[in-house]
Amino acid sequence: MAMATPMAPRSTFAIFLILLLRSGHSPAAAFYLPGSYPHRYRPGEALAAKVNSLTSPSSKLPFPYYSLPFCAPQGGVNRAAESLGELLLGDRIETSPYRFSMLKNATAFLCRTDPLPPATADLLMSRIDDAYHVNLLLDTLPVVRYVKNLAAPGVFVRSTGFPVGVRADDGEYYVYNHLKLTVLVNKPRNGTTRAEALMATADAVELISFAGGSKDGGGYTVVGFEVVPCSVEHDAAAIKGKKMYDELPARAAAGCDPSVVGMRVRANRPLVFSYEVAFVESGVEWPSRWDAYLEMGGAKVHWFSILNSIVVVAFLAAILLVILLRTVRRDLAQYDENGGEAGLAPQADELAGWKLVAGDVFREPAHPVLLCVMVGDGVRILAMAVATILFAALGFMSPASRGALVTGMLGIYLLLGFAAGYAAVRLWKTVRHGDSAGWKRVAWRASCAFPGAGFAVFTALNCVLWYNGSTGAVPFLLFAVILLLWAFVSVPLTLAGGLVASRVGHLEYPVKTNKIARQVPAAQCSPWVFVAVAGTLPFGTLFIELLFIMSSLWLGRVYYVFGFLLVVMALLVAVCGEVSVVLTYMGLCVEDWRWWWRAFFASGSVAAYTLGYAVYYLVFDLHSLSGPVSAALYVGYSLLMALAVMLATGAVGLAASFAFVYYLFSAVKLD
């Protein structure tokens, strides 16, 4: 017992590392934390599927499910309660007519629509042309469809949702009006899964029964939801007089073959909808049910990305080691042998390089307010990214909680206003040699700069979505809520951070700054050329993960290997700092003391390559993107992403260069 106390921190740290590493290769392993329990269904208990917005891989405009002539539930359409993140992502979850009972296989009639007006028929055909998909949800699980891979016979490709319809070779349009649904269920042995037992006993409480009161401890959990969409021309006699949920004979849907179409879309003709459901017991346990959705594949590619980044980090670290241990120490030793400032005049010719700019190296940079604001916003964005990725890697942002990632990211960003204000005003006070006058202006601009740019882009794109009637448009009430959160949470915290920074002691420079600036010698090559090239090294660390992130954002694929992403983020920070330090030292060696902005953009130039990659991705991977509205959405959000990358990486580069320059000139003895 006496040794338990000192071992506790080590065991806690070990658990943290295990969770983090497992989140890299087994995403679902970290999802279900204590307090998150499954819903158990008894045989015969009702299940109700829900519908989300219609989405398309070629058009980035989601539309309401009931904007097309589908069957509505008997009790009317009701909206589900949605989180802030779901609304921002364009989700509109509503009730659907697809209802069934646990373990009861059935084939049921849904409805026969009114004859389609020509405008409605044209809209339906337009949605089919744009490859819009229906997104069903059952117990928070999206419906999955398996289709044959034409490039590899015998291999099936998994995708969420199913198409509204298809355009046949004869040019006619057909709607998928019959769904062959399969619900995968699991009944744990002894009534409780191992994961449930662990969750229930995590805090040393007694085992909780999940049986819902049943004596046998039974009950089934939903662990999968699959669909085979069909276009079936129903026999008029078989559906005559049928009402919703009336049983259909099995032969009524005998023609359910995805390769055969039958329900043609024509003006002034009705559509008939039906479905069949089958329940299949599965060995997949409830905590692992998301694995089928989150298997991104390409684990070797992620490891290659990390190893590639480690090589770059080691290479740059070796360069820094040479600079610090050989060049700098040798120069300092020679400088001390010359007697400091006493020997400076007779040895001026031998002291060409960074030592000659000691009186100017800490001179106030051009546009200091702008630099401080950009660094403050960069610190905020970087801290938000690290915190969000860390929480997601540990499983606090489960995909079962739709929109949790966006909601958490927005909340963390608002709370980190304090960090933005503190960093901006702290840097302002440093470059002003301890003078904090004007800190309110710096803090206020830090609270408005990046949020203002993001709000301008967001508002412009939201107006476009409003005009097109898309569910991606943020409602006006939510728009007002976001503004209020910024005004009453973000701004006060930013000003509070600035106030604290203005009252703490400032950092004393190791050398004094001359009153007259030293003339910078003419350079054979512009230093900004090296700054532009320097961005290739951080981009080399980032671009492989960037491919997966872009696929998640624009192709509807799920990204949940946050363990890998956290490691890549750490390596990116290291590369940005090292690149900036190397370029700063190169500039000082040619007696150019104007290092502040170059240090920022040496690492921040990775944003230009990120934007270039976004253009490449649009041309070669999103070639199916259709319409100017979708292109405007892509360009607008890509610009915003590049700006955020520039601010975050630039802040890292400037902080690393400042620490290097401060250390370097702390060893120089000047009055």
Side-chain angles (χ1 to χ4, degrees), residues 26-92:
S26 182
F31 287 162
Y32 302 102
L33 301 175
S36 176
Y37 303 119
H39 184 93
R40 289 289 193 86
Y41 297 91
R42 294 186 295 270
E45 188 174 347
L47 293 90
K50 296 181 180 180
V51 289
N52 203 346
S53 301
L54 301 173
T55 56
S56 168
S58 59
S59 175
K60 299 308 171 185
L61 298 176
F63 289 102
Y65 174 80
Y66 291 105
S67 62
L68 294 181
F70 294 129
C71 301
Q74 289 179 334
V77 178
N78 296 316
R79 287 275 298 275
E82 294 170 314
S83 66
L84 177 63
E86 288 177 298
L87 293 173
L88 291 175
L89 290 173
D91 289 347
R92 297 295 184 272

Side-chain angles (χ1 to χ4, degrees), residues 121-132 173:
D122 291 341
L123 178 63
L124 183 56
M125 290 186 284
S126 174
R127 296 289 184 262
I128 293 174
D129 277 334
D130 290 335
Y132 272 89
Y173 293 85

Side-chain angles (χ1 to χ4, degrees), residues 104-320:
K104 184 178 180 181
N105 298 344
T107 301
F109 173 81
L110 275 184
C111 75
R112 178 187 178 123
T113 68
D114 295 330
L116 299 182
T120 303
D122 291 341
L123 178 63
L124 183 56
M125 290 186 284
S126 174
R127 296 289 184 262
I128 293 174
D129 277 334
D130 290 335
Y132 272 89
H133 281 56
V134 176
N135 299 290
L136 289 180
L137 303 171
L138 181 64
D139 198 36
T140 72
L141 286 177
V143 71
V144 172
R145 180 173 65 107
Y146 292 90
V147 295
K148 293 182 179 180
N149 189 347
L150 299 178
V155 177
F156 288 85
V157 178
R158 180 179 59 247
S159 63
T160 57
F162 60 91
V164 172
V166 64
R167 184 178 182 180
D169 295 336
D170 58 2
E172 294 290 340
Y173 293 85
Y174 297 85
V175 67
Y176 287 127
N177 63 325
H178 181 83
L179 302 183
K180 189 175 183 180
L181 300 168
T182 302
V183 180
L184 304 179
V185 296
N186 175 266
K187 184 179 181 179
R189 290 172 294 181
N190 301 325
T192 306
T193 66
R194 182 182 60 169
E196 292 171 0
L198 289 174
M199 289 187 293
T201 59
D203 296 322
V205 298
E206 61 178 328
L207 188 64
I208 299 174
S209 173
F210 295 91
S214 61
K215 295 181 180 180
D216 60 353
Y220 293 82
T221 56
V222 177
V223 296
F225 190 32
E226 301 174 359
V227 65
V228 176
C230 304
S231 180
V232 177
E233 184 70 40
H234 288 283
D235 183 14
I239 63 173
K240 185 177 180 180
K242 293 288 185 181
K243 296 181 180 179
M244 184 173 286
Y245 305 125
D246 283 350
E247 190 77 16
L248 283 178
R251 59 182 176 80
C256 184
D257 184 353
S259 62
V260 179
V261 291
M263 191 74 248
R264 185 175 299 175
V265 179
R266 285 187 175 179
N268 301 316
R269 286 191 58 183
L271 299 175
V272 177
F273 291 90
S274 60
Y275 71 93
E276 59 182 294
V277 61
F279 290 84
V280 178
E281 282 207 44
S282 171
V284 177
E285 294 187 353
W286 182 80
S288 302
R289 64 179 188 159
W290 279 94
D291 288 356
Y293 300 86
L294 303 175
E295 289 178 358
M296 295 189 63
K300 293 182 179 179
V301 177
H302 292 286
W303 283 116
F304 173 77
S305 172
I306 291 175
L307 292 176
N308 173 67
S309 303
I310 291 175
V311 170
V312 174
V313 170
F315 174 73
L316 292 174
I319 295 178
L320 289 178

Side-chain angles (χ1 to χ4, degrees), residues 487-568:
F488 292 101
V489 177
S490 178
V491 173
L493 285 175
T494 307
L495 295 176
L499 176 63
V500 172
S502 67
R503 295 189 175 181
V504 298
H506 71 283
L507 188 65
E508 292 286 349
Y509 288 137
V511 293
K512 294 182 179 180
T513 301
N514 297 331
K515 294 183 179 180
I516 302 176
R518 179 185 180 86
Q519 184 177 0
V520 178
Q524 295 180 351
C525 180
S526 173
W528 291 102
V529 174
F530 297 101
V531 168
V533 175
T536 57
L537 292 175
F539 181 73
T541 304
L542 180 65
F543 84 97
I544 293 180
E545 288 302 317
L546 188 61
L547 170 63
F548 289 95
I549 294 173
M550 297 291 280
S551 299
S552 174
L553 291 174
W554 301 107
L555 293 180
R557 299 171 185 169
V558 179
Y559 184 92
Y560 221 78
V561 286
F562 288 101
F564 283 112
L565 187 59
L566 189 63
V567 175
V568 171

